[in-house]
Amino acid sequence: MPGQITKRNVDAMRPGDILWDGALPGFCARMYASWTISYGLKYRIGRRSRWVKIGHHGKPGPDGEPLTPERARRLAMQILGDVKKGIDPQAEKEEERRALSVSELCDRYLTDHVAVHNKQSTRKEVRRLVEKIIKLKLGPIPVDKLTRADIAKFHHKLRNTPRQAN
């Protein structure tokens, strides 16, 4: 049975190695071919087996402090605590990835509304504004994360061209 993952064990790793923690089931350290080490946790929620990456060794963790084996283990225990409560941390990350971005919403607007309700010349101008201005500045932001402050800042930057800003 393997022992606990320690700094000494992590420092002795070679590319391709995976260290499983004997004290905390599912917790491991893995060294990639690029010589980076990441900590992960394999857990089961319901009938599904899931994997969540905790972070990279030595890099700032969720609280900004460098990630060590001890800190990664504590974070893994917190994740397992959430799993016992029925919270799936990986599902939350997947939901964030699937969230509609401003760019995707603009594409939908162009196909569902502009293409149907506007004249050709208007369609051309709206498409230009969306592609050259809106998508460029706000495109990657998820719609549910877009705030009034983001819009106000965007509008203020276009103050020299008020028609385009509106």
Side-chain angles (χ1 to χ4, degrees):
M1 182 170 158
Q4 280 193 338
I5 294 174
T6 62
K7 174 113 171 65
R8 178 176 283 176
N9 295 345
V10 169
D11 289 342
M13 290 178 76
R14 295 286 170 243
D17 288 352
I18 299 177
L19 293 177
W20 291 94
D21 195 75
L24 185 61
F27 176 59
C28 74
R30 171 185 279 170
M31 180 178 270
Y32 296 97
S34 62
W35 290 80
T36 58
I37 299 170
S38 71
Y39 297 101
L41 179 67
K42 191 172 186 177
Y43 63 94
R44 191 181 250 336
I45 189 152
R47 292 181 166 201
R48 296 182 70 185
S49 183
R50 307 288 298 235
W51 173 264
V52 65
K53 189 182 221 178
I54 297 169
H56 291 287
H57 178 73
K59 302 278 193 230
D63 57 359
E65 294 292 318
L67 205 54
T68 63
E70 295 78 25
R71 293 194 62 252
R73 184 177 295 106
R74 281 196 304 269
L75 290 169
M77 287 190 282
Q78 289 174 357
I79 292 169
L80 286 174
D82 289 343
V83 169
K84 284 190 188 255
K85 293 176 191 171
I87 300 168
D88 186 359
Q90 197 60 28
E92 291 174 12
K93 287 182 181 179
E94 286 173 2
E95 239 177 74
E96 283 179 18
R97 280 189 220 119
R98 279 183 287 190
L100 190 66
S101 69
V102 171
S103 182
E104 293 165 332
L105 184 64
C106 286
D107 291 339
R108 243 195 199 159
Y109 169 69
L110 290 171
T111 57
D112 295 351
H113 181 79
V114 175
V116 175
H117 298 289
N118 296 120
K119 294 188 297 185
Q120 180 63 33
S121 60
T122 305
R123 275 185 250 162
K124 186 178 174 183
E125 179 62 11
V126 170
R127 180 170 297 282
R128 184 188 71 78
L129 291 172
V130 166
E131 296 292 337
K132 299 285 184 188
I133 297 174
I134 297 173
K135 280 183 163 184
L136 199 65
K137 299 291 182 186
L138 302 174
I141 301 172
V143 173
D144 59 343
K145 302 282 190 247
L146 192 65
T147 63
R148 284 182 176 265
D150 294 332
I151 300 296
K153 186 175 166 185
F154 173 70
H155 194 266
H156 181 71
K157 284 183 179 178
L158 295 172
R159 67 186 174 275
N160 294 333
T161 54
R163 184 185 66 81
Q164 288 183 1
N166 290 336

